[in-house]
């Protein structure tokens, strides 16, 4: 993999370069026994920094990260199941419908509170129980998608959803709130709630959700989300941002 994080810098991550390794991984537990260790920003297991290419010429070498099967001192124990499901280990392919995949979906097994929190975290929009259930119910197919698992299916639900109505919803992310304040012409925030301006009672806003894409430089899966407002036939883009696929714990009761 081409990226890493540390216990101190997560959820932010860095590209694996000589400069970033020397800056963030210079001390124990990251530097031990002549090796640099770090944390995988997707599955949060320990990784070791390795180099590929000609070791005699620093120009020809490329640094990259590899999961380790043992737990280095000072790190949390390796979670083997998460390593197995990690998008950043090896070549990852797009999340697509897979007719051969065994569908283990059972709505009774879902921890809906955790799913709701995960969807809110990913989008920056507060999900109600009703909206969460609507996404689960309409997005059942996502559980059949290749690459979708018990850790990342909220992202899959968003890929399948296409769009979500935002009018009347609470915005949970300060950066999105700032974008709405700066760019929306037809709606405004009352507290955290998105409402039409009184002069535009018919105005609406929705979140358009794109398909799964892979950032070739970092390896992360993401989708492009666009907040779009409409007033009669006028349609305006208020803001565009990336929703990056993440692993969440306890989405399913075991
Ligand atoms: Zn990983």
């Amino acid at each position: 993999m081409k990226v890493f994080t540390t216990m101190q810098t997560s959820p932010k991550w860095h590209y694996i370069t000589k400069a970033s390794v020397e800056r963030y991984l210079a001390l124990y537990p990251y530097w031990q026994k002549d090796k640099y260790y770090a944390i995988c920003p997707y599955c949060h297991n320990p990784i070791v920094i390795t180099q590929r290419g000609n070791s005699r010429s620093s120009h020809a070498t490329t640094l990259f990260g590899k999961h380790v099967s043992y737990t280095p001192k000072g790190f949390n124990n390796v979670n083997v199941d998460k390593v197995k499901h990690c998008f950043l280990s090896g070549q990852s392919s797009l999340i697509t419908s897979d007719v051969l995949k065994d569908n283990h979906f059972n709505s009774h097994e879902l921890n809906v509170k955790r799913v709701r929190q995960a969807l809110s975290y990913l989008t920056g929009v507060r999900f109600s129980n009703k909206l969460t259930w609507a996404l689960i119910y309409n997005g059942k197919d996502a559980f059949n998608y290749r690459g979708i698992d018990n850790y990342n299916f909220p992202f899959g639900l968003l890929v399948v959803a296409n769009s979500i109505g935002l009018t009347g919803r609470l915005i949970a992310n300060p950066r999105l709130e700032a974008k709405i304040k700066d760019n929306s012409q037809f709606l405004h925030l009352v507290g955290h709630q998105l409402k039409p301006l009184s002069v535009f009672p018919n105005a609406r806003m929705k979140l358009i959700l794109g398909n799964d894409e892979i950032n070739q430089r970092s390896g992360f899966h993401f989708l492009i989300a666009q907040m779009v407002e409409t007033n009669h036939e006028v349609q305006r883009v208020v803001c565009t941002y990336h929703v990056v696929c993440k692993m969440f714990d306890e989405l399913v009761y075991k």
Side-chain angles (χ1 to χ4, degrees):
M1 77 188 69
K2 301 163 185 166
V3 288
F4 73 90
T5 189
T6 65
M7 295 159 217
Q8 288 79 19
T9 57
S10 181
K12 267 188 67 184
W13 52 266
H14 316 278
Y15 288 109
I16 300 177
T17 62
K18 194 165 178 286
S20 66
V21 165
E22 283 171 1
R23 178 168 174 195
Y24 295 103
L25 307 179
L27 298 174
Y28 176 87
Y30 306 112
W31 171 249
Q32 54 174 300
K33 292 187 178 168
D34 291 341
K35 282 194 171 82
Y36 286 110
Y37 293 97
I39 295 172
C40 170
Y42 183 66
C43 74
H44 293 100
N45 281 293
I47 57 171
V48 64
I49 309 295
T50 318
Q51 59 180 358
R52 174 192 286 146
N54 186 347
S55 57
R56 284 189 195 160
S57 151
S58 60
H59 296 291
T61 58
T62 313
L63 294 176
F64 67 101
K66 244 173 64 178
H67 291 101
V68 286
S69 50
Y70 54 93
T71 303
K73 270 192 193 154
F75 284 82
N76 290 333
N77 285 341
V78 173
N79 182 322
V80 178
D81 192 51
K82 280 190 170 179
V83 172
K84 222 167 62 189
H85 287 91
C86 182
F87 273 144
L88 297 181
S89 70
Q91 207 63 21
S92 164
S93 53
L94 285 171
I95 292 166
T96 47
S97 180
D98 182 353
V99 285
L100 297 177
K101 187 172 164 184
D102 258 345
N103 181 9
H104 296 300
F105 172 71
N106 181 346
S107 64
H108 301 295
E109 290 172 359
L110 299 185
N111 182 345
V112 176
K113 187 178 168 207
R114 289 287 299 161
V115 178
R116 180 163 62 79
Q117 288 169 344
L119 290 167
S120 304
Y121 180 92
L122 289 171
T123 57
V125 175
R126 189 77 57 80
F127 271 64
S128 62
N129 275 329
K130 194 176 162 198
L131 179 62
T132 304
W133 272 115
L135 251 73
I136 291 170
Y137 185 76
N138 296 323
K140 280 199 284 277
D141 284 353
F143 294 85
N144 283 326
Y145 276 38
R146 193 189 314 152
I148 292 298
D149 55 45
N150 285 351
Y151 303 106
N152 68 10
F153 68 81
F155 181 81
L157 293 176
L158 294 173
V159 170
V160 174
N162 292 318
S163 85
I164 294 165
L166 293 181
T167 319
R169 294 202 190 286
L170 300 170
I171 305 302
N173 181 312
R175 276 191 309 191
L176 285 183
E177 289 190 306
K179 292 269 190 194
I180 292 165
K181 279 178 191 155
D182 289 347
N183 300 335
S184 177
Q185 281 184 4
F186 305 137
L187 295 96
H188 65 156
L189 289 164
V190 180
H192 298 286
Q193 192 177 23
L194 191 59
K195 287 188 167 174
L197 289 166
S198 54
V199 284
F200 303 118
N202 297 315
R204 295 287 178 268
M205 200 182 297
K206 61 182 171 181
L207 188 65
I208 310 227
L209 300 156
N211 288 321
D212 176 43
E213 301 182 44
I214 300 174
N215 183 316
Q216 294 305 330
R217 222 182 135 206
S218 64
F220 282 110
H221 284 248
F222 70 98
L223 64 83
I224 292 172
Q226 220 168 28
M227 284 187 168
V228 176
E229 62 180 357
T230 51
N231 186 41
H232 299 292
E233 58 286 346
V234 182
Q235 185 161 320
R236 298 181 66 255
V237 174
V238 174
C239 78
T240 302
Y241 58 99
H242 284 191
V243 172
V244 179
C245 182
K246 253 184 70 81
M247 274 186 161
F248 295 92
D249 291 318
E250 297 161 19
L251 294 171
V252 175
Y253 294 115
K254 294 217 168 119

PDB file of all heavy atoms in Angstrom, residues 68-97:
ATOM      1  N   VAL A  68       1.543  -7.060   8.387  1.00  0.00           N
ATOM      2  CA  VAL A  68       2.363  -8.091   9.016  1.00  0.00           C
ATOM      3  C   VAL A  68       1.446  -9.091   9.711  1.00  0.00           C
ATOM      4  O   VAL A  68       0.361  -8.734  10.165  1.00  0.00           O
ATOM      5  CB  VAL A  68       3.352  -7.481  10.044  1.00  0.00           C
ATOM      6  CG1 VAL A  68       4.480  -6.771   9.328  1.00  0.00           C
ATOM      7  CG2 VAL A  68       2.654  -6.540  10.999  1.00  0.00           C
ATOM      8  N   SER A  69       1.893 -10.342   9.775  1.00  0.00           N
ATOM      9  CA  SER A  69       1.043 -11.368  10.391  1.00  0.00           C
ATOM     10  C   SER A  69       1.273 -11.426  11.900  1.00  0.00           C
ATOM     11  O   SER A  69       0.426 -11.907  12.645  1.00  0.00           O
ATOM     12  CB  SER A  69       1.331 -12.723   9.762  1.00  0.00           C
ATOM     13  OG  SER A  69       2.714 -12.956   9.771  1.00  0.00           O
ATOM     14  N   TYR A  70       2.416 -10.898  12.354  1.00  0.00           N
ATOM     15  CA  TYR A  70       2.718 -10.877  13.794  1.00  0.00           C
ATOM     16  C   TYR A  70       2.401  -9.468  14.315  1.00  0.00           C
ATOM     17  O   TYR A  70       2.317  -8.523  13.535  1.00  0.00           O
ATOM     18  CB  TYR A  70       4.201 -11.184  14.031  1.00  0.00           C
ATOM     19  CG  TYR A  70       5.120 -10.272  13.242  1.00  0.00           C
ATOM     20  CD1 TYR A  70       5.627  -9.094  13.814  1.00  0.00           C
ATOM     21  CD2 TYR A  70       5.458 -10.564  11.919  1.00  0.00           C
ATOM     22  CE1 TYR A  70       6.441  -8.242  13.085  1.00  0.00           C
ATOM     23  CE2 TYR A  70       6.276  -9.708  11.186  1.00  0.00           C
ATOM     24  CZ  TYR A  70       6.763  -8.552  11.777  1.00  0.00           C
ATOM     25  OH  TYR A  70       7.558  -7.698  11.058  1.00  0.00           O
ATOM     26  N   THR A  71       2.232  -9.336  15.627  1.00  0.00           N
ATOM     27  CA  THR A  71       1.973  -8.018  16.201  1.00  0.00           C
ATOM     28  C   THR A  71       3.280  -7.425  16.708  1.00  0.00           C
ATOM     29  O   THR A  71       3.871  -7.960  17.644  1.00  0.00           O
ATOM     30  CB  THR A  71       0.958  -8.124  17.360  1.00  0.00           C
ATOM     31  OG1 THR A  71      -0.234  -8.741  16.869  1.00  0.00           O
ATOM     32  CG2 THR A  71       0.627  -6.759  17.916  1.00  0.00           C
ATOM     33  N   PRO A  72       3.752  -6.331  16.113  1.00  0.00           N
ATOM     34  CA  PRO A  72       4.976  -5.708  16.635  1.00  0.00           C
ATOM     35  C   PRO A  72       4.705  -5.141  18.030  1.00  0.00           C
ATOM     36  O   PRO A  72       3.566  -4.810  18.359  1.00  0.00           O
ATOM     37  CB  PRO A  72       5.252  -4.571  15.640  1.00  0.00           C
ATOM     38  CG  PRO A  72       4.304  -4.765  14.505  1.00  0.00           C
ATOM     39  CD  PRO A  72       3.174  -5.592  14.990  1.00  0.00           C
ATOM     40  N   LYS A  73       5.752  -5.025  18.833  1.00  0.00           N
ATOM     41  CA  LYS A  73       5.623  -4.457  20.191  1.00  0.00           C
ATOM     42  C   LYS A  73       4.997  -3.060  20.124  1.00  0.00           C
ATOM     43  O   LYS A  73       5.346  -2.264  19.246  1.00  0.00           O
ATOM     44  CB  LYS A  73       7.008  -4.324  20.818  1.00  0.00           C
ATOM     45  CG  LYS A  73       7.434  -5.535  21.590  1.00  0.00           C
ATOM     46  CD  LYS A  73       8.668  -5.207  22.417  1.00  0.00           C
ATOM     47  CE  LYS A  73       9.273  -6.499  22.941  1.00  0.00           C
ATOM     48  NZ  LYS A  73      10.710  -6.338  23.186  1.00  0.00           N
ATOM     49  N   GLY A  74       4.102  -2.789  21.069  1.00  0.00           N
ATOM     50  CA  GLY A  74       3.531  -1.441  21.158  1.00  0.00           C
ATOM     51  C   GLY A  74       2.326  -1.221  20.262  1.00  0.00           C
ATOM     52  O   GLY A  74       1.754  -0.138  20.240  1.00  0.00           O
ATOM     53  N   PHE A  75       1.920  -2.242  19.487  1.00  0.00           N
ATOM     54  CA  PHE A  75       0.756  -2.122  18.598  1.00  0.00           C
ATOM     55  C   PHE A  75      -0.398  -2.974  19.113  1.00  0.00           C
ATOM     56  O   PHE A  75      -0.191  -3.927  19.855  1.00  0.00           O
ATOM     57  CB  PHE A  75       1.116  -2.592  17.181  1.00  0.00           C
ATOM     58  CG  PHE A  75       1.938  -1.596  16.411  1.00  0.00           C
ATOM     59  CD1 PHE A  75       3.317  -1.527  16.606  1.00  0.00           C
ATOM     60  CD2 PHE A  75       1.344  -0.724  15.499  1.00  0.00           C
ATOM     61  CE1 PHE A  75       4.080  -0.607  15.910  1.00  0.00           C
ATOM     62  CE2 PHE A  75       2.107   0.191  14.809  1.00  0.00           C
ATOM     63  CZ  PHE A  75       3.483   0.251  15.010  1.00  0.00           C
ATOM     64  N   ASN A  76      -1.607  -2.617  18.687  1.00  0.00           N
ATOM     65  CA  ASN A  76      -2.766  -3.472  18.993  1.00  0.00           C
ATOM     66  C   ASN A  76      -2.635  -4.781  18.228  1.00  0.00           C
ATOM     67  O   ASN A  76      -2.024  -4.819  17.163  1.00  0.00           O
ATOM     68  CB  ASN A  76      -4.066  -2.790  18.577  1.00  0.00           C
ATOM     69  CG  ASN A  76      -4.387  -1.599  19.461  1.00  0.00           C
ATOM     70  OD1 ASN A  76      -3.971  -1.554  20.628  1.00  0.00           O
ATOM     71  ND2 ASN A  76      -5.087  -0.627  18.912  1.00  0.00           N
ATOM     72  N   ASN A  77      -3.246  -5.833  18.777  1.00  0.00           N
ATOM     73  CA  ASN A  77      -3.164  -7.152  18.139  1.00  0.00           C
ATOM     74  C   ASN A  77      -3.696  -7.131  16.720  1.00  0.00           C
ATOM     75  O   ASN A  77      -4.675  -6.446  16.426  1.00  0.00           O
ATOM     76  CB  ASN A  77      -3.959  -8.181  18.950  1.00  0.00           C
ATOM     77  CG  ASN A  77      -3.216  -8.580  20.207  1.00  0.00           C
ATOM     78  OD1 ASN A  77      -1.998  -8.380  20.314  1.00  0.00           O
ATOM     79  ND2 ASN A  77      -3.949  -9.114  21.167  1.00  0.00           N
ATOM     80  N   VAL A  78      -3.055  -7.890  15.851  1.00  0.00           N
ATOM     81  CA  VAL A  78      -3.503  -8.015  14.455  1.00  0.00           C
ATOM     82  C   VAL A  78      -4.901  -8.632  14.424  1.00  0.00           C
ATOM     83  O   VAL A  78      -5.160  -9.630  15.092  1.00  0.00           O
ATOM     84  CB  VAL A  78      -2.526  -8.900  13.651  1.00  0.00           C
ATOM     85  CG1 VAL A  78      -3.067  -9.163  12.256  1.00  0.00           C
ATOM     86  CG2 VAL A  78      -1.155  -8.254  13.575  1.00  0.00           C
ATOM     87  N   ASN A  79      -5.807  -7.993  13.677  1.00  0.00           N
ATOM     88  CA  ASN A  79      -7.141  -8.543  13.460  1.00  0.00           C
ATOM     89  C   ASN A  79      -7.131  -9.221  12.079  1.00  0.00           C
ATOM     90  O   ASN A  79      -7.219  -8.550  11.051  1.00  0.00           O
ATOM     91  CB  ASN A  79      -8.187  -7.418  13.529  1.00  0.00           C
ATOM     92  CG  ASN A  79      -9.599  -7.927  13.357  1.00  0.00           C
ATOM     93  OD1 ASN A  79      -9.854  -8.832  12.558  1.00  0.00           O
ATOM     94  ND2 ASN A  79     -10.533  -7.352  14.092  1.00  0.00           N
ATOM     95  N   VAL A  80      -6.983 -10.545  12.098  1.00  0.00           N
ATOM     96  CA  VAL A  80      -6.765 -11.305  10.857  1.00  0.00           C
ATOM     97  C   VAL A  80      -7.945 -11.145   9.889  1.00  0.00           C
ATOM     98  O   VAL A  80      -7.753 -11.010   8.676  1.00  0.00           O
ATOM     99  CB  VAL A  80      -6.541 -12.804  11.185  1.00  0.00           C
ATOM    100  CG1 VAL A  80      -6.357 -13.608   9.906  1.00  0.00           C
ATOM    101  CG2 VAL A  80      -5.325 -12.971  12.088  1.00  0.00           C
ATOM    102  N   ASP A  81      -9.162 -11.132  10.444  1.00  0.00           N
ATOM    103  CA  ASP A  81     -10.333 -11.022   9.570  1.00  0.00           C
ATOM    104  C   ASP A  81     -10.349  -9.672   8.845  1.00  0.00           C
ATOM    105  O   ASP A  81     -10.687  -9.596   7.663  1.00  0.00           O
ATOM    106  CB  ASP A  81     -11.612 -11.194  10.399  1.00  0.00           C
ATOM    107  CG  ASP A  81     -12.833 -11.378   9.508  1.00  0.00           C
ATOM    108  OD1 ASP A  81     -12.778 -12.250   8.611  1.00  0.00           O
ATOM    109  OD2 ASP A  81     -13.820 -10.637   9.681  1.00  0.00           O
ATOM    110  N   LYS A  82      -9.965  -8.624   9.548  1.00  0.00           N
ATOM    111  CA  LYS A  82      -9.935  -7.297   8.911  1.00  0.00           C
ATOM    112  C   LYS A  82      -8.842  -7.216   7.858  1.00  0.00           C
ATOM    113  O   LYS A  82      -9.031  -6.578   6.825  1.00  0.00           O
ATOM    114  CB  LYS A  82      -9.736  -6.204   9.967  1.00  0.00           C
ATOM    115  CG  LYS A  82     -11.015  -5.833  10.701  1.00  0.00           C
ATOM    116  CD  LYS A  82     -10.767  -4.591  11.523  1.00  0.00           C
ATOM    117  CE  LYS A  82     -12.060  -4.040  12.063  1.00  0.00           C
ATOM    118  NZ  LYS A  82     -11.828  -2.849  12.889  1.00  0.00           N
ATOM    119  N   VAL A  83      -7.695  -7.843   8.110  1.00  0.00           N
ATOM    120  CA  VAL A  83      -6.628  -7.858   7.089  1.00  0.00           C
ATOM    121  C   VAL A  83      -7.160  -8.543   5.835  1.00  0.00           C
ATOM    122  O   VAL A  83      -6.936  -8.083   4.710  1.00  0.00           O
ATOM    123  CB  VAL A  83      -5.362  -8.586   7.599  1.00  0.00           C
ATOM    124  CG1 VAL A  83      -4.350  -8.753   6.470  1.00  0.00           C
ATOM    125  CG2 VAL A  83      -4.727  -7.827   8.755  1.00  0.00           C
ATOM    126  N   LYS A  84      -7.892  -9.636   6.033  1.00  0.00           N
ATOM    127  CA  LYS A  84      -8.451 -10.386   4.903  1.00  0.00           C
ATOM    128  C   LYS A  84      -9.397  -9.508   4.076  1.00  0.00           C
ATOM    129  O   LYS A  84      -9.513  -9.668   2.872  1.00  0.00           O
ATOM    130  CB  LYS A  84      -9.208 -11.609   5.446  1.00  0.00           C
ATOM    131  CG  LYS A  84      -8.967 -12.868   4.646  1.00  0.00           C
ATOM    132  CD  LYS A  84      -9.462 -14.111   5.377  1.00  0.00           C
ATOM    133  CE  LYS A  84     -10.962 -14.093   5.627  1.00  0.00           C
ATOM    134  NZ  LYS A  84     -11.401 -15.197   6.524  1.00  0.00           N
ATOM    135  N   HIS A  85     -10.093  -8.598   4.737  1.00  0.00           N
ATOM    136  CA  HIS A  85     -11.063  -7.734   4.053  1.00  0.00           C
ATOM    137  C   HIS A  85     -10.498  -6.358   3.708  1.00  0.00           C
ATOM    138  O   HIS A  85     -11.257  -5.453   3.362  1.00  0.00           O
ATOM    139  CB  HIS A  85     -12.311  -7.558   4.916  1.00  0.00           C
ATOM    140  CG  HIS A  85     -13.174  -8.781   4.973  1.00  0.00           C
ATOM    141  ND1 HIS A  85     -13.030  -9.751   5.932  1.00  0.00           N
ATOM    142  CD2 HIS A  85     -14.162  -9.209   4.167  1.00  0.00           C
ATOM    143  CE1 HIS A  85     -13.911 -10.717   5.728  1.00  0.00           C
ATOM    144  NE2 HIS A  85     -14.610 -10.419   4.658  1.00  0.00           N
ATOM    145  N   CYS A  86      -9.177  -6.197   3.829  1.00  0.00           N
ATOM    146  CA  CYS A  86      -8.600  -4.853   3.631  1.00  0.00           C
ATOM    147  C   CYS A  86      -8.474  -4.511   2.150  1.00  0.00           C
ATOM    148  O   CYS A  86      -7.881  -5.259   1.380  1.00  0.00           O
ATOM    149  CB  CYS A  86      -7.245  -4.748   4.316  1.00  0.00           C
ATOM    150  SG  CYS A  86      -6.542  -3.086   4.143  1.00  0.00           S
ATOM    151  N   PHE A  87      -9.027  -3.357   1.778  1.00  0.00           N
ATOM    152  CA  PHE A  87      -8.959  -2.885   0.385  1.00  0.00           C
ATOM    153  C   PHE A  87      -7.560  -2.421   0.003  1.00  0.00           C
ATOM    154  O   PHE A  87      -7.262  -2.275  -1.174  1.00  0.00           O
ATOM    155  CB  PHE A  87      -9.902  -1.693   0.200  1.00  0.00           C
ATOM    156  CG  PHE A  87     -11.303  -2.074  -0.153  1.00  0.00           C
ATOM    157  CD1 PHE A  87     -12.371  -1.345   0.339  1.00  0.00           C
ATOM    158  CD2 PHE A  87     -11.558  -3.145  -1.008  1.00  0.00           C
ATOM    159  CE1 PHE A  87     -13.678  -1.680   0.005  1.00  0.00           C
ATOM    160  CE2 PHE A  87     -12.854  -3.473  -1.344  1.00  0.00           C
ATOM    161  CZ  PHE A  87     -13.911  -2.747  -0.836  1.00  0.00           C
ATOM    162  N   LEU A  88      -6.723  -2.118   0.985  1.00  0.00           N
ATOM    163  CA  LEU A  88      -5.414  -1.550   0.661  1.00  0.00           C
ATOM    164  C   LEU A  88      -4.335  -2.627   0.507  1.00  0.00           C
ATOM    165  O   LEU A  88      -3.195  -2.324   0.190  1.00  0.00           O
ATOM    166  CB  LEU A  88      -4.996  -0.524   1.714  1.00  0.00           C
ATOM    167  CG  LEU A  88      -5.897   0.714   1.826  1.00  0.00           C
ATOM    168  CD1 LEU A  88      -5.370   1.670   2.882  1.00  0.00           C
ATOM    169  CD2 LEU A  88      -6.014   1.436   0.488  1.00  0.00           C
ATOM    170  N   SER A  89      -4.689  -3.900   0.779  1.00  0.00           N
ATOM    171  CA  SER A  89      -3.691  -4.950   0.591  1.00  0.00           C
ATOM    172  C   SER A  89      -3.862  -5.534  -0.799  1.00  0.00           C
ATOM    173  O   SER A  89      -4.897  -6.092  -1.129  1.00  0.00           O
ATOM    174  CB  SER A  89      -3.830  -6.032   1.658  1.00  0.00           C
ATOM    175  OG  SER A  89      -5.002  -6.765   1.461  1.00  0.00           O
ATOM    176  N   GLY A  90      -2.856  -5.368  -1.628  1.00  0.00           N
ATOM    177  CA  GLY A  90      -2.904  -5.909  -2.976  1.00  0.00           C
ATOM    178  C   GLY A  90      -3.805  -5.114  -3.885  1.00  0.00           C
ATOM    179  O   GLY A  90      -4.236  -4.008  -3.569  1.00  0.00           O
ATOM    180  N   GLN A  91      -4.093  -5.690  -5.010  1.00  0.00           N
ATOM    181  CA  GLN A  91      -4.887  -5.023  -6.035  1.00  0.00           C
ATOM    182  C   GLN A  91      -6.362  -5.104  -5.663  1.00  0.00           C
ATOM    183  O   GLN A  91      -6.876  -6.178  -5.431  1.00  0.00           O
ATOM    184  CB  GLN A  91      -4.638  -5.708  -7.387  1.00  0.00           C
ATOM    185  CG  GLN A  91      -4.831  -4.819  -8.595  1.00  0.00           C
ATOM    186  CD  GLN A  91      -3.847  -3.654  -8.631  1.00  0.00           C
ATOM    187  OE1 GLN A  91      -2.795  -3.693  -7.999  1.00  0.00           O
ATOM    188  NE2 GLN A  91      -4.211  -2.614  -9.347  1.00  0.00           N
ATOM    189  N   SER A  92      -7.019  -3.977  -5.580  1.00  0.00           N
ATOM    190  CA  SER A  92      -8.427  -3.972  -5.213  1.00  0.00           C
ATOM    191  C   SER A  92      -9.260  -3.656  -6.448  1.00  0.00           C
ATOM    192  O   SER A  92      -8.858  -2.861  -7.280  1.00  0.00           O
ATOM    193  CB  SER A  92      -8.614  -2.914  -4.121  1.00  0.00           C
ATOM    194  OG  SER A  92      -9.946  -2.579  -3.967  1.00  0.00           O
ATOM    195  N   SER A  93     -10.406  -4.333  -6.591  1.00  0.00           N
ATOM    196  CA  SER A  93     -11.247  -4.046  -7.754  1.00  0.00           C
ATOM    197  C   SER A  93     -12.521  -3.346  -7.315  1.00  0.00           C
ATOM    198  O   SER A  93     -12.872  -3.336  -6.140  1.00  0.00           O
ATOM    199  CB  SER A  93     -11.565  -5.329  -8.521  1.00  0.00           C
ATOM    200  OG  SER A  93     -12.102  -6.275  -7.643  1.00  0.00           O
ATOM    201  N   LEU A  94     -13.212  -2.761  -8.277  1.00  0.00           N
ATOM    202  CA  LEU A  94     -14.394  -1.971  -7.968  1.00  0.00           C
ATOM    203  C   LEU A  94     -15.489  -2.827  -7.343  1.00  0.00           C
ATOM    204  O   LEU A  94     -15.617  -4.015  -7.622  1.00  0.00           O
ATOM    205  CB  LEU A  94     -14.916  -1.308  -9.243  1.00  0.00           C
ATOM    206  CG  LEU A  94     -14.107  -0.121  -9.754  1.00  0.00           C
ATOM    207  CD1 LEU A  94     -14.588   0.295 -11.130  1.00  0.00           C
ATOM    208  CD2 LEU A  94     -14.191   1.049  -8.785  1.00  0.00           C
ATOM    209  N   ILE A  95     -16.254  -2.181  -6.483  1.00  0.00           N
ATOM    210  CA  ILE A  95     -17.397  -2.829  -5.849  1.00  0.00           C
ATOM    211  C   ILE A  95     -18.478  -3.009  -6.914  1.00  0.00           C
ATOM    212  O   ILE A  95     -19.032  -2.026  -7.398  1.00  0.00           O
ATOM    213  CB  ILE A  95     -17.913  -1.936  -4.702  1.00  0.00           C
ATOM    214  CG1 ILE A  95     -16.888  -1.876  -3.578  1.00  0.00           C
ATOM    215  CG2 ILE A  95     -19.255  -2.399  -4.206  1.00  0.00           C
ATOM    216  CD1 ILE A  95     -17.155  -0.762  -2.574  1.00  0.00           C
ATOM    217  N   THR A  96     -18.727  -4.243  -7.312  1.00  0.00           N
ATOM    218  CA  THR A  96     -19.731  -4.464  -8.350  1.00  0.00           C
ATOM    219  C   THR A  96     -20.627  -5.631  -7.970  1.00  0.00           C
ATOM    220  O   THR A  96     -20.269  -6.451  -7.124  1.00  0.00           O
ATOM    221  CB  THR A  96     -19.081  -4.817  -9.703  1.00  0.00           C
ATOM    222  OG1 THR A  96     -18.097  -5.815  -9.470  1.00  0.00           O
ATOM    223  CG2 THR A  96     -18.480  -3.610 -10.374  1.00  0.00           C
ATOM    224  N   SER A  97     -21.757  -5.694  -8.610  1.00  0.00           N
ATOM    225  CA  SER A  97     -22.715  -6.764  -8.382  1.00  0.00           C
ATOM    226  C   SER A  97     -22.081  -8.102  -8.736  1.00  0.00           C
ATOM    227  O   SER A  97     -21.426  -8.237  -9.753  1.00  0.00           O
ATOM    228  CB  SER A  97     -23.936  -6.502  -9.259  1.00  0.00           C
ATOM    229  OG  SER A  97     -24.869  -7.515  -9.055  1.00  0.00           O
TER     230      SER A  97
END
